[in-house]
Amino acid sequence: MYLPTASSGEALPSRERSKSIDPLYAIPSAYLGWGLAFSGHGAEGVTEARRAVELDSASEAVRNIFAATLLAAGRMDEAREWAHRMTVLTTNPRSLGFYAVVLASTGARDEADSIVQRLIWLPRKTLGVHGSIASSYHDLVDQTRAVWTMRH
């Protein structure tokens, strides 16, 4: 089975249709922005994703997608700055893990590792903590710690 991908640009029409159904719902705009940026339309994508943040700045999903859009558009400095701002605003382990990945992707490996260290000290039963730590270690290219985290 073949599924259209954001990188091929084939998924963009369906994302545009989703946005047209309810233009005030932020999630379709966020994903449309990410898809545009990922398929080589960085400026348009960032504009659309920023619009999504303006529609619903409280949504962690929208804020995370905006960071992914900045990365896809190659705006590393903006992505790093956004991740720094968001790590102060959230306690959600999944979002923190994602922002560690963003920081690592922009070259801020020490800062990414400090977020992972924060996650390690969370109670083990905290929802999402294992996956966040493991994915962060994976993107920090520390496969040994990623595997160990998933097993323990």
Side-chain angles (χ1 to χ4, degrees):
M1 174 170 63
Y2 176 77
L3 296 174
T5 63
S7 60
S8 69
E10 295 174 38
L12 293 177
S14 66
R15 291 178 183 181
E16 289 168 350
R17 278 191 304 279
S18 297
K19 179 188 164 193
S20 71
I21 292 169
D22 185 356
L24 297 179
Y25 182 46
I27 294 290
S29 289
Y31 277 118
L32 176 59
W34 175 77
L36 285 165
F38 204 81
S39 61
H41 306 281
E44 287 177 75
V46 170
T47 299
E48 188 65 37
R50 192 177 314 274
R51 179 183 172 282
V53 171
E54 290 168 2
L55 286 171
D56 189 358
S57 62
S59 169
E60 290 214 28
V62 169
R63 295 187 315 220
N64 293 353
I65 296 165
F66 183 65
T69 302
L70 290 170
L71 284 177
R75 296 187 179 189
M76 299 305 173
D77 292 339
E78 289 176 73
R80 184 180 312 115
E81 180 183 324
W82 182 259
H84 281 295
R85 288 176 46 209
M86 294 303 105
T87 57
V88 174
L89 297 177
T90 188
T91 58
N92 181 322
R94 290 182 179 139
S95 291
L96 287 170
F98 178 72
Y99 291 125
V101 170
V102 170
L103 289 168
S105 298
T106 63
R109 295 179 61 81
D110 291 340
E111 292 142 43
D113 197 46
S114 73
I115 292 172
V116 173
Q117 296 307 313
R118 278 174 53 192
L119 290 169
I120 287 172
W121 289 103
L122 289 174
R124 285 298 199 190
K125 293 183 180 182
T126 304
L127 183 64
V129 75
H130 282 88
S132 295
I133 295 169
S135 66
S136 299
Y137 276 145
H138 179 268
D139 285 354
L140 286 166
V141 192
D142 192 336
Q143 304 298 328
T144 304
R145 288 199 293 185
V147 171
W148 185 90
T149 300
M150 291 307 289
R151 288 185 178 161
H152 296 87

